[in-house]
């Protein structure tokens, strides 16, 4: 990883590259290598299970460090130290982003899972099959009240969804967590180095990467009040992260089993819940000059 990439989220870089490649070459082959498939499984991003699914509280008794992304708004100040989990993934092994025509030609539904497993040559008991099934189910789940969600399978459909939410005449931009060092530590104490900066975001669309043989995002937007921040973090091992975080001010419609409540020891709707985004998540916000 050259330091030239330092100011880019690796995924953004990848997206831009892919966009260029797609424009230049049109549709590529559909073959997936073993490493890609393995990487898909390793990329399993429990974010949406954490954010949406109904975890049993007993599951949380031995807390998985990957839920250590939550904090309260009171923690959002210079000098605050907290243990944070940042997955450091090798983005060169990320699943391929397909052009829309290609993505749209592949069914995307739980009902068709058996055919999809055949298409991608996974046995039905494989971890990849489980990951695909989980992703499809997450994508088919009804949104919670006040939420709009969609799972784009291409950059074009992600942009269409974002346009639909932010307004078709609203120019928008993307923010993402960027790792400024090569630290390989996933879980450590980080200290907030500078005053967190609020990002102009009257509305936002957050897109999480999902485990699948090709790039699939889980995008959602909530009507309730959210604030987006850029937070400079310094890790105990010298790591530096320009993290993107969101604070949800109304959590009253969230499941009481939502992981954040056990991490923060609070109840739904009692105080804002904030979390950092991993580097491969994309947060779309209107450009601030647009109003
Ligand atoms: C990351 O490591 C590579 C090789 O070890 C080095 O060349 C590069 O400068 C490092 N980048 C940063 C941001 O420290
Ligand atoms: C963070 O620091 C505290 C206090 O020094 C320590 O007890 C804890 O183990 C550290 N956490 C991590 C993840 O290193």
């Amino acid at each position: 990883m050259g330091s030239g990439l330092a100011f880019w989220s690796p995924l953004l870089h990848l997206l831009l590259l892919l966009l260029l490649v797609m424009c230049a070459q049109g549709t590529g082959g559909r073959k997936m290598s073993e490493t890609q498939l393995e990487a898909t499984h390793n990329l399993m991003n429990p974010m949406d299970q954490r954010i949406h699914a109904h975890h049993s509280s007993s599951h949380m008794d031995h807390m998985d460090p990957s839920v250590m992304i939550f904090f309260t708004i009171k923690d959002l100040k210079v000098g605050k130290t907290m243990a944070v989990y940042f997955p450091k993934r090798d983005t060169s092994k990320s699943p391929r982003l397909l052009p829309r025509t290609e993505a749209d030609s592949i069914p995307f539904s739980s009902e068709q899972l058996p055919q999809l497993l055949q298409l991608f040559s996974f046995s039905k008991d494989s971890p990849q099959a489980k990951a695909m099934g989980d992703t499809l189910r997450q994508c088919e789940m009804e949104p919670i009240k006040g939420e709009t969600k969609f799972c784009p399978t291409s950059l074009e459909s992600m942009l269409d969804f974002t346009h639909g939410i932010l307004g078709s005449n609203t120019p928008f931009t993307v923010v993402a967590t960027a790792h400024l060092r090569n630290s390989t530590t996933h879980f450590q104490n980080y200290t907030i180095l500078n005053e967190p900066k609020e990002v102009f975001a009257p509305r936002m669309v957050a897109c999480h990467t999902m485990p699948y043989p090709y790039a699939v995002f889980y995008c959602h937007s909530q009507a309730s009040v959210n604030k987006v921040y850029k937070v400079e973090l310094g890790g105990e091992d010298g790591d530096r992260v320009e993290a993107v975080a969101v604070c949800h001010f109304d959590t009253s419609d969230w499941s009481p089993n939502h992981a954040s409540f056990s991490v923060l020891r609070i109840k739904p709707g009692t105080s804002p819940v904030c979390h950092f985004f991993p580097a491969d998540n994309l947060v779309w916000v209107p450009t601030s000059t647009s109003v």
Side-chain angles (χ1 to χ4, degrees), residues 1-3 6 180-182:
M1 264 309 123
S3 54
L180 308 182
R181 296 282 188 281
N182 287 329

Side-chain angles (χ1 to χ4, degrees), residues 81-84 185 187-190 236:
T81 297
M82 52 188 143
V84 186
T185 313
F187 182 49
Q188 61 174 315
N189 281 314
Y190 284 91
E236 274 182 322

